[in-house]
Amino acid sequence: MSTIASREPGTRGQWWRFAVLLVITLVVLVPVIATLLLSLRPSGTSGLLTFDNFRNVFANTDVRIWLGNSLGVTLATVLVSVVVAAPAGYVLSRGRSKAVSGLSLLLFVIQSLPVITAIIPLFVLFARLGLTDNLIGLVIVYVGSTMSVATWMMAAYFDSIPHALEEAAWVDGCSVFGSFVKIVLRNSLPGILSTAIFAFLLAWNDYLVALVFLRSSSIFTLPIGLQTFFQQNAVDWGAVMSLSVVMLLPPAIIFAVLNKYFSIGGIGGALAGR
């Protein structure tokens, strides 16, 4: 009985913490809920909630084109960022030379610089190369923007993987590249997903870089397309909110689907019995 009584104060404290977190969560979700409700409300009326705003946006605007552009640019950014950052992060994690230390310092300096400092020089350079008003040029900028942080994220996760796993593979005749692919990458799914989500969010939500580099409506991404609904004297809030919901859905779906994969508990068990 005394043991149960001693646990009651801690239990009450947990309920208070839960209540505080619940209130904070509700406050954070208020803008999201308001956006969703306004997107389902018919323009100029207070009637029942409908999907008229979504039907109007997809039928009478270029939202489908903008959505395809955003998805293509974002997926290309994610793919290239992960493919390049994974081996670069491995070198950063396992290397011990002065060159690797210098690269690590360089990446730290690069990621501390704001993107705005590079936009104008990049625009001048890309204009000469014919990459302005071009989705390929936009992907190059996004990949460059994510690379330093993505490499650091992969290196930090590779540091958590024991060297003994690779050494065992080398003893069995596996090459360095083979152990990287078969051992390190296979145990790095949470790190890869974290890096991919970081690159996804940067490319999907970007407005500033796309605003500078894109001019043609046919290659607008969703954030730039959303700006076109804001007129000088009037704003179609139904269209704005419905497009905002479209922009919110992919990140929400990705986090909901991939949430169960964010676990690092399986790595330590790989050395059990050694």
Side-chain angles (χ1 to χ4, degrees):
M1 293 295 291
S2 60
T3 303
I4 297 176
S6 63
R7 293 178 179 176
E8 288 182 355
T11 304
R12 294 195 188 99
Q14 291 177 2
W15 278 104
W16 277 108
R17 287 192 292 270
F18 173 78
V20 171
L21 291 176
L22 180 61
V23 171
I24 295 175
T25 302
L26 292 176
V27 171
V28 171
L29 289 178
V30 165
V32 178
I33 296 173
T35 300
L36 180 60
L37 292 178
L38 289 174
S39 70
L40 296 174
R41 180 180 176 181
S43 299
T45 68
S46 57
L48 297 176
L49 302 181
T50 69
F51 289 95
D52 290 344
N53 290 324
F54 290 93
R55 283 192 288 264
N56 177 61
V57 164
F58 278 94
N60 302 321
T61 68
D62 293 330
V63 165
R64 286 177 291 182
I65 298 176
W66 301 337
L67 178 60
N69 292 338
S70 286
L71 288 175
V73 167
T74 301
L75 293 178
T77 302
V78 170
L79 180 62
V80 176
S81 297
V82 171
V83 169
V84 176
Y90 181 76
V91 172
L92 208 63
S93 172
R94 298 298 192 255
R96 293 295 180 267
S97 65
K98 293 183 178 180
V100 173
S101 300
L103 175 61
S104 177
L105 178 61
L106 178 63
L107 290 176
F108 179 79
V109 173
I110 291 175
Q111 75 177 24
S112 66
L113 297 176
V115 178
I116 188 65
T117 59
I119 287 182
I120 302 304
L122 284 175
F123 181 83
V124 174
L125 175 62
F126 280 29
R128 296 178 179 177
L129 298 175
L131 292 175
T132 56
D133 203 20
N134 189 311
L135 293 178
I136 296 177
L138 197 62
V139 171
I140 294 174
V141 176
Y142 288 159
V143 171
S145 301
T146 62
M147 194 51 57
S148 58
V149 179
T151 302
W152 269 76
M153 293 175 67
M154 294 301 302
Y157 196 86
F158 291 155
D159 287 341
S160 68
I161 299 178
H163 289 260
L165 292 176
E166 296 174 79
E167 293 171 354
W170 297 339
V171 170
D172 292 337
C174 194
S175 64
V176 174
F177 179 77
S179 65
F180 167 69
V181 174
K182 298 178 181 179
I183 304 299
V184 178
L185 285 184
R186 289 184 64 180
N187 287 286
S188 302
L189 181 60
I192 293 173
L193 291 178
S194 299
T195 304
I197 288 177
F198 167 77
F200 178 91
L201 292 178
L202 185 144
W204 182 261
N205 295 324
D206 174 73
Y207 172 79
L208 180 60
V209 176
L211 179 65
V212 173
F213 279 81
L214 302 182
R215 290 292 179 266
S216 303
S217 175
S218 60
I219 59 172
F220 279 176
T221 55
L222 282 177
I224 305 303
L226 179 62
Q227 176 191 253
T228 62
F229 290 114
F230 291 90
Q231 305 299 325
Q232 184 174 0
N233 299 319
V235 177
D236 186 355
W237 288 110
V240 170
M241 293 304 172
S242 58
L243 184 54
S244 299
V245 171
V246 172
M247 292 182 61
L248 285 171
L249 284 177
I253 293 173
I254 287 177
F255 276 105
V257 172
L258 300 182
N259 177 63
K260 62 181 179 180
Y261 295 104
F262 287 91
S263 172
I264 60 175
I267 296 177
L271 292 176
R274 289 186 61 86

